[in-house]
């Protein structure tokens, strides 16, 4: 007789294969239609809040794998908090202003010259259209990753009300007394014709000159030092930028050091004398020694143009290389500028916005035959300048070094003094006693960092950063919309005037600054006449836009985006110098506190060799490709299973392994769902069998540990712990051990219902634990789950995580696991020798009190054998092992194989065992 129909075989509508590629888009579309995000808000309306404030990606191009990593990680964190019962908010955003978009519009127009023929208003219109297009493209692409957010009302920095709030933040900074305008050297991109902030600077290798130039002291200086007028005495400067020699107005010495005059007439630092002799820059012996203070305020002569070069003392002069005499051009360097302020050195700036010498070189007689240099690029002038200095140039070499470059155009930057707007980081905000820098540093101390190393990184950047240059000389951005009095140059920071402009921006956008006359933009009761004023034409650094999103999104009433300060900011580790820092400074300036309670940083995506992805290497893995081959669940599982604290490796091999891990996880859920398909009530824990209590005890411990790790956003360790548990204890042991009980016992037997109940409890807890990561799969499970799992839930978003109740294991689990391992080792040998095919052919003889004290059927199922016996047979022993002082002897079962359950417990051949007989008869 075929007894198959009498078995309670597992059955479920939850498919073995997810067919993710085809099914995910349908389910995601259904989530959209059901407005799941708003459902999530309503479900937790009165619960504790959790706000993750989204750092805006740039609306320029399709999303790449780094975008996918970032948004999926945020989505997992938000959902983890949601399934833990919190009220969550996730308003996604986009950065829409700035240089890259302007560059794309330039390309479409056919270059800078074509662009310059258009009005600013027309250029801005084209930029706005370009950004809007990619906001829509990226929004659609993010949705395909299963990310749930307020997609209907994202924040977009070019929206009218948003632009108004960016400007209002600027006004707030001005009211705090931290906004200053001054002429100061800043990083300047001559290729893009604009100032750059520190965060926009990258370092790349560049070949430069290394030159040593002698500046002869003038007669008065020699006289003061007791030297003859006809004698030679020349401080030797070292520089790598010959093109800055026309702008030299000083020579800086270290105030603590001694300087020597050599017999061949050169002055250098005493500490560097020997190295300069070795490198043959100078050849003479030391004839006289001076302290730096003796040389202070003396004058030397610039050999290029005969102009005065004033000797000053500066702490920035180091003794590591060079000569100890630093060429000082206040228009071309931060340190030069600072020492120049102290000594009132002239700031000479003969370089225009394109990086070419301008008419200043003729007017100020900075270079001989200066007319030939006007309009020539500075980097193409080095050789001629060297030649013009003649014998004063003691040595020239070329060398390669790390040099600042523009992060967009990848062209070398220059330091160039121009009139710019700055936020003073060492200024004291009105109403405060500490400087802005001190406030920011104290807020870093209060912030939680994941990983903790982020604290030192941000702290170091805040400690060392100069004033923030927030002005740019471009078209596409929020204007620094201030009026200047033509007659005096005074900038109007009248609150009513600024509020009026902000109100216009709110209604018409910041384009109004370019399309409307001053008479229309000026507050009617200002007391100023429009003809007496002019507009400031600079725009804001795009980092100001994104740095003020806490104000425009969290504090304004324009978005239902959560609370200020946010619980968490999550971005790549490069944002310590970018968004984390700009947000911190603006929030500290206006509100005197950080805009976030916690900062989580992740690394960058690299290929399996750890190399950066690039099209030229052919190692780029685009999100779109992953979705077409594997589905978004695999990408999400890869994010959760990767250590985001370093760089994250991704490749076809890694994705295949992740896909295999997903398959195991999915099939574990499937077999558990199939085993509980007819369960309608849970067995109380105290009525369960030994194996059920054991698995509930193990599961409660493991899932609590995993939940703790997930709550600390340690997903990689949580997933590792979970995978080990599923492969070993849950799937490898318990599901295997309970097959006989679930398939062969009577449908309503207490023992079967107890094991089903244990599986149901585990399934429900594991489901809500994994839902933040595999939300699609979790929702599909709920759709196919019995009521014992989902209750009244329509979908996964109606469910909340609750931990399993701890259950005490009724036996020594450590001992029993070791016993099973010892048994498994003997069985492997028996199978290799082809003595057995199944462990059900075996019985175990032992006097182990731990085993014999267990329920005898549970003990049999623990080893998946047909009997556990106390008396040891005298023959037919196939193998044995010992554990502690206990011996386990393994022998062939002497009873017959039951044709229904396959246990060797039947009294006669082809007859049912006692248990199966009673089930079939019933």
């Amino acid at each position: 007789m075929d007894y198959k129909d009498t078995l309670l075989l597992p059955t479920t509508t939850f498919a073995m294969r997810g067919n993710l590629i085809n099914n995910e888009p349908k389910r995601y579309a259904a989530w959209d239609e059901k407005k799941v995000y708003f459902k999530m808000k309503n479900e937790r309306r009165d619960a504790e809040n959790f706000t993750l404030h989204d750092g805006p990606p740039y609306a320029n191009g399709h999303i790449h794998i780094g975008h996918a990593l970032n948004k999926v990680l945020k989505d997992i964190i938000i959902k983890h908090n949601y399934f833990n019962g919190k009220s969550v908010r996730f308003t996604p955003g986009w950065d829409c202003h700035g240089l890259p978009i302007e560059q794309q519009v330039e390309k479409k127009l056919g270059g800078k010259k074509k662009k310059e023929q258009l009005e600013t208003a027309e250029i801005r219109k084209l930029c706005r259209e370009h950004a809007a297009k990619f906001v829509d493209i990226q929004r659609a692409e993010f949705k395909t990753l299963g990310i749930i957010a307020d997609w209907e009302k994202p924040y977009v920095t070019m929206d009218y009300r948003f632009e108004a709030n960016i400007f209002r933040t600027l006004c707030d900074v001005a009211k705090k007394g931290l906004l200053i305008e001054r002429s100061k050297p800043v990083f300047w991109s001559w290729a893009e014709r604009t100032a750059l902030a520190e965060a926009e600077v990258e370092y790349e290798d560049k070949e430069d000159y290394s030159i040593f130039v002698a500046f002869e002291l003038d007669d008065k200086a020699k006289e003061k030092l007791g030297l003859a007028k006809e004698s030679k005495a020349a401080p030797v400067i070292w520089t790598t930028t010959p093109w800055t020699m026309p702008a030299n107005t000083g020579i800086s010495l270290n105030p603590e050091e001694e300087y020597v005059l050599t017999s061949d007439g050169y002055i250098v630092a005493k500490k560097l004398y020997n190295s300069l002799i070795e490198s043959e820059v100078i050849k003479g012996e030391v004839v006289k020694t001076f302290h730096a203070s003796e040389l202070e305020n003396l004058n030397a002569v610039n050999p290029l143009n005969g102009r005065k070069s004033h000797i000053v003392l500066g702490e920035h002069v180091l003794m590591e290389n060079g000569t100890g005499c630093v060429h000082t051009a206040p228009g071309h360097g931060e340190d030069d500028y600072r020492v120049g302020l102290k000594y009132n050195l002239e700031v000479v700036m003969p370089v225009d916005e394109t990086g070419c010498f301008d008419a200043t070189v003729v007017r100020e007689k900075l270079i001989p035959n200066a007319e030939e240099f006007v309009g020539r690029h500075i980097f193409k002038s080095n050789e001629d300048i060297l030649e013009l200095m003649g014998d004063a140039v003691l040595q020239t070499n070329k060398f390669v070094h790390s040099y600042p470059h523009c992060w967009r155009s990848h062209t070398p930057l220059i330091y160039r003094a121009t009139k710019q707007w700055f936020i003073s980081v060492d200024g004291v905000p009105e109403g405060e006693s500490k400087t802005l820098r001190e406030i920011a540093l104290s807020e870093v101390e209060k912030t939680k960092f994941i990983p903790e190393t982020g604290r030192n990184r941000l702290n170091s950047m805040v400690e060392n950063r100069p004033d923030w240059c927030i002005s740019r000389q471009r078209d596409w951005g929020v204007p620094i919309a201030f009026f200047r009095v033509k007659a005096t140059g005074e900038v109007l920071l009248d609150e009513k005037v600024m509020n009026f402009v902000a109100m216009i921006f709110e209604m018409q956008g910041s384009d109004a600054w370019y399309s409307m006359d001053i008479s229309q933009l000026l507050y009617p009761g200002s007391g100023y006449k429009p003809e007496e004023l002019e507009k400031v034409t600079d725009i804001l650094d795009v980092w100001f836009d994104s740095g003020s999103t806490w104000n425009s999104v969290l504090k304004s009433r324009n978005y239902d985006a959560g609370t200020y300060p946010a619980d968490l900011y999550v971005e790549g580790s490069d944002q310590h110098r970018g968004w984390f820092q700009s947000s911190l400074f603006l929030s500290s300036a206006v509100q005197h506190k950080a805009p976030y309670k916690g900062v989580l940083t992740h690394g960058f995506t690299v290929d399996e060799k750890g190399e950066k992805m690039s099209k030229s290497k052919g190692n780029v893995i685009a999100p779109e490709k992953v979705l077409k081959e594997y589905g978004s669940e695999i990408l999400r599982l890869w994010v959760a299973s990767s250590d985001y604290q370093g760089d994250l490796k991704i490749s076809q091999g890694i994705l295949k392994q992740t896909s295999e891990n997903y398959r195991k996880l999915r099939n574990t859920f499937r077999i558990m769902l199939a085993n509980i398909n007819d369960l309608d009530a849970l067995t109380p824990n105290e009525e369960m069998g030994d194996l059920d209590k054991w698995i509930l005890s193990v599961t409660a411990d493991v899932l609590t540990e995993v939940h703790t790790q997930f709550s600390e956003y340690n997903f990689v360790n949580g997933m590792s712990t979970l995978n080990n548990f599923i492969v070993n204890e849950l799937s490898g042991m318990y599901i295997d051990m309970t097959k006989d009980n679930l398939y062969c016992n009577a449908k309503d037997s207490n023992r079967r219902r107890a094991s089903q109940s244990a599986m149901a409890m585990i399934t429900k807890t594991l489901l809500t634990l994994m839902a933040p990561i595999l939300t699609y799969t979790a929702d599909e499970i709920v759709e196919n789950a019995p009521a014992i799992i989902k209750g009244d839930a329509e979908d996964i978003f109606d469910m909340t995580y609750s931990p399993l109740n701890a259950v005490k294991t009724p036996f020594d689990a450590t001992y029993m696991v070791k016993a099973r391992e010892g048994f498994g080792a003997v069985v492997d040998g028996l199978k290799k020798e082809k003595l057995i095919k199944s462990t059900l052919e075996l019985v175990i003889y032992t006097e182990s009190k731990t085993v014999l004290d267990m329920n005898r059927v549970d003990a049999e199922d623990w080893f998946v054998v047909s009997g556990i016996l106390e008396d040891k047979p005298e023959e037919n022993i196939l193998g044995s092992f010992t554990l502690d002082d206990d011996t386990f002897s393994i022998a062939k079962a002497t009873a017959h194989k039951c044709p229904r359950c396959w246990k060797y417990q039947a009294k006669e051949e082809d007859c049912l065992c006692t248990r199966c007989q009673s089930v079939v008869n019933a």
Side-chain angles (χ1 to χ4, degrees):
M1 180 181 169
D2 185 358
Y3 290 102
K4 186 179 178 183
D5 290 342
T6 71
L7 296 173
L8 298 167
L9 295 176
T11 177
T12 179
T13 53
F14 182 61
M16 182 183 290
R17 286 184 170 78
N19 192 10
L20 302 175
I21 299 159
N22 295 318
N23 290 338
E24 282 174 348
K26 296 172 190 171
R27 190 169 293 271
Y28 294 160
W31 289 354
D32 245 7
E33 200 173 314
K34 285 164 66 177
K35 298 188 182 297
V36 162
Y37 177 74
F38 299 102
K39 174 180 178 167
M40 287 168 72
K41 285 207 305 187
N42 289 330
E43 288 274 344
R44 309 276 190 268
R45 198 179 301 114
D46 301 319
E48 179 189 347
N49 288 317
F50 175 80
T51 301
L52 190 155
H53 180 44
D54 190 28
Y58 205 64
N60 188 28
H62 292 267
I63 67 168
H64 51 66
I65 201 72
H67 286 125
L69 157 66
N70 178 265
K71 275 289 196 291
V72 167
L73 184 56
K74 289 172 179 173
D75 186 62
I76 291 171
I77 289 169
I78 287 158
K79 286 175 182 167
H80 175 78
N81 281 279
Y82 173 76
F83 286 111
N84 276 278
K86 290 184 182 176
S87 173
V88 297
R89 294 292 183 273
F90 190 38
T91 298
W94 276 273
D95 230 338
C96 299
H97 296 120
L99 188 57
I101 289 168
E102 205 170 327
Q103 284 176 323
Q104 290 300 317
V105 168
E106 266 175 22
K107 279 183 193 172
K108 285 180 192 171
L109 292 171
K112 284 182 184 172
K113 286 187 180 176
K114 292 275 181 73
K115 180 189 151 205
E116 284 166 2
Q117 293 168 12
L118 295 178
E119 293 288 329
T120 299
E122 183 60 26
I123 294 163
R124 288 174 65 88
K125 179 174 175 284
L126 294 171
C127 289
R128 191 176 286 279
E129 288 168 0
H130 178 90
K133 172 188 167 186
F134 280 103
V135 166
D136 289 341
I137 287 171
Q138 289 187 7
R139 174 174 20 210
E141 290 171 338
F142 282 134
K143 282 185 178 183
T144 64
L145 301 174
I147 292 158
I148 294 173
D150 193 353
W151 295 117
E152 290 183 18
K153 198 177 179 186
Y155 75 82
V156 179
T157 60
M158 64 180 181
D159 285 350
Y160 292 173
R161 288 195 294 179
F162 206 104
E163 289 185 328
N165 280 327
I166 292 170
F167 177 63
R168 286 187 180 112
T169 307
L170 175 68
C171 296
D172 288 341
V173 172
K175 287 177 209 167
K176 292 285 182 178
L178 297 172
L179 189 64
I180 50 176
E181 186 187 24
R182 64 169 182 248
S183 183
K184 181 178 183 287
V186 291
F187 279 121
W188 184 270
S189 173
W190 47 267
E192 303 302 338
R193 304 186 191 185
T194 186
L196 297 183
E198 294 276 333
E200 298 168 306
V201 178
E202 291 180 347
Y203 286 81
E204 298 174 24
D205 284 348
K206 180 178 184 289
E207 186 180 61
D208 269 322
Y209 278 98
S210 166
I211 67 168
F212 294 86
V213 184
F215 279 54
E216 185 75 23
L217 290 176
D218 68 12
D219 291 348
K220 276 188 180 178
K222 289 177 186 176
E223 189 181 330
K224 276 195 174 180
L225 293 174
L227 303 174
K229 286 184 182 179
E230 61 276 8
S231 67
K232 185 177 179 185
V236 179
I237 65 95
W238 173 73
T239 184
T240 60
T241 53
W243 60 268
T244 62
M245 294 301 288
N248 173 279
T249 56
I251 298 170
S252 296
L253 310 183
N254 186 303
E256 306 301 322
E257 296 297 328
E258 289 188 323
Y259 286 77
V260 296
L261 172 65
T262 63
S263 57
D264 50 353
Y266 299 116
I267 295 173
V268 296
K270 187 177 181 180
K271 281 183 182 172
L272 294 165
Y273 169 76
N274 288 333
S275 66
L276 292 166
I277 288 287
E278 283 171 25
S279 57
E280 298 184 346
V281 175
I282 57 176
K283 298 181 175 64
E285 298 172 357
V286 174
V287 296
K288 197 164 185 177
T289 302
F290 309 96
H291 190 273
S293 57
E294 294 177 67
L295 299 166
E296 185 181 15
N297 291 320
L298 302 182
N299 291 318
V301 179
N302 186 334
L304 177 65
N305 51 30
R307 287 168 61 95
K308 179 178 75 174
S309 187
H310 195 64
I311 297 176
V312 298
L313 305 182
E315 301 286 347
H316 65 287
V317 181
L318 305 177
M319 295 290 117
E320 291 167 7
N321 52 28
T323 65
C325 305
V326 174
H327 153 58
T328 302
H332 288 304
E334 179 76 24
D335 290 327
D336 302 37
Y337 176 76
R338 284 179 180 170
V339 78
L341 282 178
K342 182 180 173 184
Y343 286 91
N344 200 27
L345 298 183
E346 184 184 359
V347 178
V348 177
M349 176 41 57
V351 180
D352 70 13
E353 61 180 11
T354 66
C356 296
F357 284 118
D358 63 18
T360 308
V361 293
V362 177
R363 187 175 65 249
E364 302 294 332
K365 298 176 182 170
L366 301 180
I367 311 176
N369 307 318
E371 290 84 356
E372 296 175 19
F373 286 84
V374 176
R376 191 197 296 185
H377 198 280
I378 51 175
F379 292 157
K380 292 179 181 175
S381 305
N382 284 325
E383 287 80 5
D384 288 342
I385 287 171
L386 286 170
E387 193 176 327
L388 288 167
M389 288 191 290
D391 293 341
V393 179
L394 305 184
Q395 193 180 92
T396 67
N397 298 295
K398 279 197 169 181
F399 75 116
V400 175
H401 64 145
S402 181
Y403 187 85
H405 282 66
C406 173
W407 73 327
R408 295 295 181 190
S409 63
H410 296 284
T411 50
L413 298 175
I414 59 175
Y415 258 112
R416 178 172 178 265
T418 56
K419 207 163 194 182
Q420 301 290 344
W421 291 91
F422 296 87
I423 292 177
S424 171
V425 295
D426 291 311
V428 178
E430 192 175 303
E432 264 289 331
S433 58
K434 294 191 288 189
T435 67
L436 176 55
R437 191 192 305 275
E438 288 167 343
I439 295 168
L441 286 169
S442 66
E443 288 301 300
V444 170
E445 282 306 303
K446 297 174 192 172
T447 303
K448 180 179 175 64
F449 284 87
I450 306 164
E452 177 60 28
T453 50
R455 183 186 311 281
N456 289 340
R457 194 159 179 214
L458 185 55
N459 204 67
S460 169
M461 289 176 175
V462 171
E463 258 180 352
N464 298 309
R465 71 155 299 143
D467 288 345
W468 178 8
C469 176
I470 60 166
S471 48
R472 298 291 178 271
Q473 291 68 48
R474 301 294 302 188
D475 293 319
W476 180 229
V478 175
I480 297 176
F482 297 143
F483 297 110
R484 192 188 302 279
V485 180
K486 290 178 187 176
T488 63
E490 176 203 352
V491 172
L492 296 189
L493 296 177
D494 181 283
E495 194 165 344
K496 289 179 180 175
V497 171
M498 295 189 291
N499 287 346
F500 190 73
V501 171
M503 187 181 68
I504 292 171
F505 284 5
E506 191 155 313
M507 294 185 291
Q508 301 184 45
S510 66
D511 294 344
W513 190 249
Y514 303 92
S515 61
M516 292 172 68
D517 294 332
I518 292 176
S519 58
Q520 297 168 291
L521 293 163
L522 184 63
Y523 173 62
S526 70
Y528 288 90
K529 295 176 181 175
E531 60 272 18
E532 294 172 347
L533 305 175
E534 60 187 5
K535 296 176 186 175
V536 170
T537 57
D538 296 330
I539 62 165
L540 280 168
D541 169 16
V542 75
W543 288 107
F544 191 100
D545 289 21
S546 57
S548 63
T549 55
W550 56 268
N551 197 13
S552 305
V553 178
L554 299 180
K555 281 190 71 65
S556 78
R557 295 181 181 178
N558 297 337
Y559 304 90
D560 182 12
T563 54
Y564 168 88
D567 292 282
L568 197 64
Y569 274 31
V570 177
E571 296 303 326
S573 52
D574 58 333
Q575 294 308 319
H576 290 112
R577 69 200 283 258
W579 192 54
F580 297 145
Q581 195 181 154
S582 62
S583 302
L584 173 65
F585 272 111
L586 289 180
S587 184
S588 296
V590 177
Q591 297 293 327
H592 308 166
K593 64 181 177 181
Y596 38 67
K597 297 173 188 173
V599 167
L600 184 149
T601 48
H602 58 77
F604 302 101
T605 50
V606 293
D607 69 12
E608 59 192 333
K609 294 175 187 172
E611 292 180 3
K612 190 177 177 182
M613 293 188 183
S614 70
K615 287 180 183 175
S616 60
K617 286 182 186 173
N619 63 351
V620 172
I621 292 183
E624 185 185 15
K625 187 182 177 189
V626 179
L627 299 192
K628 282 180 180 173
E629 282 188 52
Y630 298 98
S632 67
E633 290 287 80
I634 307 306
L635 188 62
R636 295 176 67 89
L637 189 57
W638 164 74
V639 171
S641 306
S642 300
D643 184 1
Y644 62 74
Q645 293 194 10
D647 287 342
L648 292 83
K649 291 182 179 179
I650 186 167
S651 65
Q652 280 296 332
I654 290 167
L655 288 168
K656 278 180 185 170
Q657 181 57 53
T658 307
S659 187
E660 178 60 23
N661 292 344
Y662 172 78
R663 187 188 66 77
K664 286 177 188 170
L665 195 56
R666 184 181 179 93
N667 284 340
T668 301
F669 271 115
R670 184 172 183 272
I671 191 65
M672 291 197 294
L673 287 175
N675 280 331
I676 59 176
N677 67 305
D678 59 9
L679 180 68
D680 51 21
L682 294 176
T683 301
N685 289 351
E686 60 272 13
E687 294 176 24
M688 289 185 175
D690 288 354
L691 301 191
D692 306 322
K693 289 176 181 176
W694 165 76
I695 195 62
L696 285 174
S697 173
V698 173
T699 307
D701 288 347
V702 169
L703 297 193
T704 298
E705 182 185 348
V706 172
H707 183 262
T708 300
Q709 289 168 326
F710 283 3
S711 297
E712 293 166 352
Y713 310 130
N714 184 357
F715 298 108
V716 63
N717 284 356
M719 285 305 304
S720 177
T721 304
L722 193 58
N723 285 333
N724 287 335
F725 162 71
I726 287 169
V727 169
N728 296 311
E729 289 89 349
L730 184 58
S731 185
M733 292 176 69
Y734 183 71
I735 290 174
D736 186 46
M737 292 169 180
T738 53
K739 281 179 183 173
D740 177 78
N741 176 17
L742 294 167
Y743 300 177
C744 303
N745 278 332
K747 182 179 178 181
D748 291 324
S749 81
N750 291 339
R751 197 160 177 274
R752 180 172 183 270
R753 288 304 191 201
S755 291
Q756 283 184 304
S757 298
M759 277 195 190
M761 292 175 195
I762 292 166
T763 302
K764 187 171 183 179
T765 303
L766 186 57
L767 174 66
T768 48
L769 185 64
M770 288 302 296
I773 298 165
L774 301 175
T775 320
Y776 164 87
T777 305
D779 198 35
E780 189 189 354
I781 288 169
V782 171
E783 192 176 288
N784 292 279
I788 199 75
I789 297 291
K790 65 181 179 183
D792 297 330
E794 290 179 12
D795 53 39
I796 189 63
F797 305 103
D798 287 331
M799 299 182 74
T800 306
Y801 171 85
S802 59
L804 273 175
N805 291 328
V807 179
K808 191 176 179 184
T809 306
F811 53 81
D812 183 344
T814 305
Y815 177 95
M816 288 301 292
V817 169
K818 285 181 182 175
R820 186 177 156 98
E821 287 168 357
F823 173 69
V826 175
V827 166
D828 286 345
L830 297 177
K831 285 183 176 178
K832 278 178 189 170
E833 293 172 34
K834 298 190 176 174
L835 293 173
I836 64 164
K837 289 182 180 177
S838 163
T839 56
L840 287 175
E841 297 172 42
L842 304 173
V843 293
I844 295 174
Y845 294 91
T846 185
E847 293 178 355
S848 165
K849 194 164 178 1
T850 305
V851 175
L852 296 175
D853 282 350
M854 283 178 70
N855 174 287
R856 194 59 58 92
V857 180
D858 279 342
E860 287 173 6
D861 285 353
W862 180 269
F863 295 100
V864 194
V865 294
S866 290
I868 301 284
L869 305 168
E870 191 170 355
D871 298 326
K872 186 178 174 184
E874 306 211 351
E875 49 193 46
N876 297 328
I877 298 296
L878 299 178
S880 66
F881 67 93
T882 59
L883 176 60
D884 296 343
D885 295 327
D886 301 324
T887 300
F888 291 77
S889 300
I890 298 154
K892 278 252 190 180
T894 54
H896 297 279
K897 182 179 180 180
C898 172
R900 181 172 179 270
C901 70
W902 297 1
K903 276 190 174 184
Y904 284 73
Q905 293 182 345
K907 291 175 182 174
E908 296 176 26
E909 197 169 345
D910 295 329
C911 287
L912 297 176
C913 65
T914 306
R915 186 267 309 265
C916 287
Q917 186 70 54
S918 67
V919 172
V920 171
N921 287 346

